[in-house]
Amino acid sequence: MVRLALLSVSNKTGLIDLARSLVEEFDFDLISSGGTAQALKDAGLPVTKVADYTGSPEILGGRVKTLHPRIHGGILARRDVPQDITDLENNQIRAIDLVVVNLYPFEETIAKPGVTLSQAVEQIDIGGPAMLRASSKNFAHLAVLCDPAQYEEYLAQLRQNNGEASLEFRQKAALKGFSHTASYDQAIASYLAEAQHYTLSGTQLQSLRYGENPHQPAAWYQTGTTPTGWTAATKLQGKELSYNNLVDLEAARRIIAEFTDTPAATIIKHTNPCGTALGSTISEAYQKAFNADSTSAFGGIVALNRPIDAATASELTKTFLECVVAPSCDAEAQEILGKKSNVRVLTLADLSRGSKDTVKAIAGGFLVQTSDDVIADASQWQVVTERQPTADELAELLFAWKVCKHVKSNAIVVTSDHTTLGVGAGQMNRVGSVKIALEQAGEKAKGATLASDGFFPFDDSVKTAAAAGITAIVQPGGSLRDKDSIIAANELGLLMVLTGVRHFLH
C-alpha cells in the first residue's frame, strides 16, 4: 500500500529535496497545508492539500488547518489494535506514516524590535504542536521530523532498512519532537508571564566528560530552537569542549565584546583575564596580552576580535593553550594551528551577542538578573581631582575600566599602553587586590592607570597606588569617604575619575 506523508513546515530548508526523495524513491503520497503545499506544487511535486483531503476548508485566516479527525486519526492510529484499524476504515482515514512539522517562528518574532503583543500571538502555533505531540506519542507506528537536520538521517534509514525507519530512530525523533514543543511552549509562557514566571529550558547537545571536577556529571544544553552563541560556533580542531572550557570561553567572549573598533585579545584563566590588550594588528594585540602574564597564560583560553591570520597563528602555537576563539580563521592559519592538534580552535562570527539574563541556582530556587551590558561612556564620567585627563589618559582609563568590569570582585586592574600589567581578582578586601595587581605590574606600574570595580572605602588604596607610581585612577565612587580618597589623590598629584557605575562580578 502506498504510504502517506504529511508535510507542514514554517522553515522550508531542505523541504523539496526531502519530498522529492519520498515520492520518487519510496513511493509516498504527500498531503500538505498552506504555503508548504504551494512550495511543493511549484517544485512540480504531486501533493494533496490538507483541505482537499479532509473536506474541510482552512478557516479563521489559517488558524484552523490540520485540526481534523482525518489528520489526527491517521497520526494516532495503532496499527496493531484492530479497533483502531476498523475506525480508520469506517471513517475513510488513511494511516499517516511520516509527519514533517516545524513551528511558527515565535521566538524569532518576539526578538524583533517593536513587535506588538497581537503580532506575537499570531505566531503561536496550534496545529503544529498538536501534530508533533500526536506523532511523537505514536512513534511505535510512524516517524516524526521537526528539524531539517533530521531529513538526511531519515532517508538514510529508509535506504538501509528496506524503506522503514528503525524503532530506535523513531523513538529518538519522538524525544526531539516533545523537546521541541516543550521549549516552544516555555518561550511563549515566558513572553506572556513577563516578571511573574521565569522559565528556563534547553535541549541537550551533548554530555560532557564531567563538570568543574571529575566527580561532577555535566551536560551542555541549547536554549531555543535556533543555535546561537556557542551552540552556533564551529570547532575547527581539537578535543571535545569541557565544562570549564565553555565557562572560560564565555568569560573571554564577554571581555572581547567590549572592544570592536581596534584589534583586541584576551587570555582567560579561571574566568579572570591574565592578559588583555589592544594592538594595531591582531597578532600584536595577542603578543601584548601574552606578555602581560606569560606564566598564567600557559593553558589559557584565548579570544580574539579579528580573524586569525598566519602571523597570529604562529604566535599561538608557541605555548600550550586550551582553546582559541575568533570570528574566523584563514586557511594558512588553520594549517599552522593544525600542528598543535590538541588545542581547540573555534570560530564564532558574532562574539558580541550574549544572554540578556544571568541565572544562578540557590537552594530552593534560583536568581535572575539582567546581564551587566552597560556600555561605558567616558563623556558621563566625573573628573574629581584638580588634574584633568588628556585624551590619551582618558582612553587608557576607558580600557582599564572595560577590563575591570569582567574581573571577579574585589577587582583591581593596572594597565598601560592598552595592556593589562596586573590583575587583582576575587580578594576578600580591596586593599589585597590592589597589592596583588601592583606587585604583578612591578616597575611597569610607574606612570600606569588603575581601575577598581567598586569604590574605595578608605584612602589607603589610593596612597598605595601612588607609592607604586600609578598616575591615574578610575573607580565608581559612591563611598561616604570619597572625599578622603579625592583629597589623597590631589595631595599626591593623581588624576581620579568617577564613573557612577559599579561592576561587581560574583
Side-chain angles (χ1 to χ4, degrees), residues 15 79-80 90 96 128 146 157 160 178 191 202 218 239 246-247 263 303 411 483-484 504:
L15 169 69
R79 317 299 166 80
D80 55 357
N90 290 342
I96 295 174
C146 63
Q157 283 276 315
Q160 294 166 9
F178 281 124
Y191 174 74
K239 298 180 290 186
L246 287 161
V247 171
K483 185 180 294 185
D484 293 347
F504 280 176

Side-chain angles (χ1 to χ4, degrees), residues 319-403:
T319 192
F320 168 66
L321 298 170
E322 285 280 352
C323 304
V324 177
V325 63
S328 61
C329 181
D330 69 34
E332 187 177 0
Q334 285 190 52
E335 184 177 351
I336 294 169
L337 290 167
K339 297 173 183 176
K340 292 272 190 174
S341 58
N342 283 336
V343 64
R344 303 161 178 88
V345 178
L346 296 91
T347 58
L348 180 57
D350 186 2
L351 284 161
S352 64
R353 183 178 299 181
S355 173
K356 294 183 293 184
D357 299 326
T358 58
V359 181
K360 288 185 182 291
I362 60 172
F366 55 90
L367 307 175
V368 181
Q369 65 173 352
T370 59
S371 295
D372 187 4
D373 54 6
V374 173
I375 299 173
D377 183 359
S379 68
Q380 301 300 309
W381 293 354
Q382 180 184 9
V383 180
V384 291
T385 50
E386 297 168 1
R387 191 159 79 77
Q388 298 294 303
T390 66
D392 286 345
E393 285 177 321
L394 195 58
E396 190 68 42
L397 287 164
L398 183 59
F399 170 78
W401 182 244
K402 286 182 175 182
V403 176

Side-chain angles (χ1 to χ4, degrees), residues 68-362:
H68 193 280
R70 292 201 78 190
I71 297 298
H72 285 273
I75 291 173
L76 286 165
R78 293 158 292 187
R79 317 299 166 80
D80 55 357
V81 176
Q83 185 59 54
D84 285 10
I85 301 304
T86 299
D87 286 342
L88 293 184
E89 292 171 351
N90 290 342
N91 291 279
Q92 297 181 313
I93 298 173
R94 288 180 62 182
I96 295 174
D97 300 278
L98 171 66
V99 174
V100 182
V101 175
N102 54 59
L103 308 179
Y104 292 170
F106 179 81
E107 289 179 277
E108 292 85 344
T109 298
I110 62 174
K112 296 175 183 176
V115 171
T116 64
L117 176 61
S118 61
Q119 289 171 329
V121 166
E122 286 308 310
Q123 291 302 317
I124 297 176
D125 203 329
I126 302 300
M131 289 188 291
L132 270 182
R133 287 177 58 81
S135 50
S136 295
K137 175 178 179 175
N138 205 27
F139 70 84
H141 302 282
L142 77 160
V144 56
L145 308 176
C146 63
D147 184 344
Q150 297 172 292
Y151 297 171
E152 279 304 316
E153 186 179 0
Y154 174 72
L155 292 173
Q157 283 276 315
L158 298 188
R159 291 169 184 141
Q160 294 166 9
N161 301 309
N162 297 317
E164 298 290 339
S166 68
L167 178 61
E168 180 183 12
F169 173 85
R170 299 198 305 271
Q171 184 170 346
K172 181 175 71 172
L175 172 60
K176 190 173 182 69
F178 281 124
S179 297
H180 189 34
T181 56
S183 176
Y184 191 79
D185 285 341
Q186 287 201 332
I188 296 167
S190 295
Y191 174 74
L192 295 177
E194 295 181 344
Q196 282 71 44
H197 298 276
Y198 190 93
T199 55
L200 182 66
S201 68
T203 301
Q204 184 173 318
L205 289 180
Q206 65 184 77
S207 295
L208 302 173
R209 287 181 59 198
Y210 51 80
E212 287 180 300
N213 299 290
H215 61 274
Q216 296 173 266
W220 180 9
Y221 290 81
Q222 173 186 312
T223 55
T225 56
T226 302
T228 59
W230 296 110
T231 63
T234 300
K235 185 161 71 72
L236 302 180
Q237 67 172 59
K239 298 180 290 186
E240 289 297 319
L241 292 166
S242 71
Y243 179 97
N244 289 334
N245 289 157
L246 287 161
V247 171
D248 283 337
L249 280 167
E250 177 59 13
R253 185 203 62 75
R254 288 197 296 264
I255 290 183
I256 215 67
E258 296 282 353
F259 306 103
T260 57
D261 298 333
T262 305
T266 189
I267 306 173
I268 297 292
K269 287 293 286 290
H270 308 299
T271 73
N272 284 304
C274 55
T276 303
L278 307 183
S280 57
T281 65
I282 195 63
S283 177
E284 180 190 18
Y286 169 71
Q287 289 179 67
K288 289 170 67 177
F290 177 79
N291 291 331
D293 186 355
S294 58
T295 300
S296 298
F298 183 85
I301 306 288
V302 175
L304 311 168
N305 71 346
R306 295 291 188 274
I308 306 173
D309 54 22
T312 309
S314 295
E315 292 298 323
L316 291 166
T317 59
K318 291 181 179 179
T319 192
F320 168 66
L321 298 170
E322 285 280 352
C323 304
V324 177
V325 63
S328 61
C329 181
D330 69 34
E332 187 177 0
Q334 285 190 52
E335 184 177 351
I336 294 169
L337 290 167
K339 297 173 183 176
K340 292 272 190 174
S341 58
N342 283 336
V343 64
R344 303 161 178 88
V345 178
L346 296 91
T347 58
L348 180 57
D350 186 2
L351 284 161
S352 64
R353 183 178 299 181
S355 173
K356 294 183 293 184
D357 299 326
T358 58
V359 181
K360 288 185 182 291
I362 60 172

